[in-house]
Amino acid sequence: ALGVALRTMGKRVQVSVGEPGFHLPASLSFLPGADLIVEPDAVVMADAVVACDTASVERLGVLADVVRAAEVCIAIDHHPTFDGFGTIHVVDPHAPATAALALRLIDLLDVPLDRDIATAVYAGLATDTGSFRYESADADTLRTAARLYETGFDHSGIARLLFDDEPFQALRVLGIALGNAVLLPDAVGGLGLVYTWIAAADRPGLSELAMERVIDTVRRTSEAEVAAVFKQADDGT
């Protein structure tokens, strides 16, 4: 969303994720501005770097050095664990999503909210609030969603692509993870822990992102206040 807005202002923009060989997953291929995405090893130094939804520079993976070397680094984040990296902070731990903070910044830049920007903001807002189910979503969040809806994008179609559209192999991965699940009701001081794991061999042909949704199922366990998924990365870690 921010990349599209900056391009509207005539800026040259690179968008990337600090995962080696990153490619936009098929589940997000509908997002406007996808043509702005470059692989992390193709990112060139710029006048300013903006880090989104990241509490520490280490979380930026292979792009961490780009941020460290940048003369200006703007950090946009809503995690209470934000450690203060960067030179300019757009940080609000009470914000429901980093996408909501990005929209505030877009408004301050006087960029009109068009359908493309609204689509991208909505994708971030809906996913980061669990379809507006999490405690962080409040009345202002729903007012923001209404404002986005008014641009005319297909919100029900986007919601289906975001939450209800996965390859069959991803369902097999979920089944393996649920088969591995362990419940320790007395752990965490009696609050309960449920955990599972996914090996790289369990997801043939699928990227690491295929494991992201497993936690949403595991965390439903009534007997556990804490849930964890251990995921083996492509490099074996």
Side-chain angles (χ1 to χ4, degrees), residues 30-31 118-120 122-123 153-163:
F30 68 90
L31 284 176
T119 297
Y122 175 78
F153 68 88
D154 179 11
H155 65 87
S156 60
I158 290 173
R160 181 184 62 80
L161 291 170
L162 287 173
F163 302 111

Side-chain angles (χ1 to χ4, degrees), residues 134-194:
Y134 298 161
E135 187 177 357
S136 60
D138 57 17
D140 283 338
T141 309
L142 298 179
R143 279 189 282 267
T144 297
R147 180 186 171 203
L148 299 172
Y149 280 22
E150 288 171 351
T151 64
F153 68 88
D154 179 11
H155 65 87
S156 60
I158 290 173
R160 181 184 62 80
L161 291 170
L162 287 173
F163 302 111
D164 299 318
D165 187 72
E166 292 196 79
F168 178 73
Q169 188 60 36
L171 299 181
R172 298 289 298 270
V173 171
L174 176 61
I176 292 169
L178 294 179
N180 292 338
V182 175
L183 173 65
L184 301 175
D186 297 324
V188 200
L191 294 176
L193 167 69
V194 60

